[in-house]
Amino acid sequence: LGQLTPRGSLSAAEKSTVNAENSDRVAVYALIARKTGASPAAVGRQRAAQIRASAAKGTWIQKSDGSWGRAG
């Protein structure tokens, strides 16, 4: 959790951008985990919760149970 997940087809350039962003997030979550003593997965879950909480109304979000819905 806490990473980008495409909901449809992407061009090669878009896939590259998503992959680069997710690689950056993995690195940042690992750094935060080392500094806080948490696991990278726990950091990702916390970040995902923050993203959901701040998402604009109508934005597709993945809920903590893995299902998709719109922010509301």
Side-chain angles (χ1 to χ4, degrees):
L1 293 169
Q3 296 186 19
L4 299 176
T5 303
R7 288 195 34 86
S9 299
L10 300 178
S11 69
E14 291 168 329
K15 287 178 187 176
S16 178
T17 300
V18 168
N19 290 338
E21 176 62 25
N22 282 339
S23 291
D24 289 347
R25 290 182 185 200
V26 167
V28 169
Y29 298 164
L31 178 64
I32 293 169
R34 280 194 302 274
K35 287 185 174 187
T36 63
S39 70
V43 173
R45 283 191 300 274
Q46 178 61 34
R47 180 64 183 133
Q50 291 171 334
I51 292 168
R52 283 191 297 274
S54 66
K57 184 176 181 179
T59 301
W60 280 102
I61 56 169
Q62 190 171 19
K63 299 175 185 177
S64 60
D65 66 3
S67 65
W68 286 89
R70 292 194 180 260

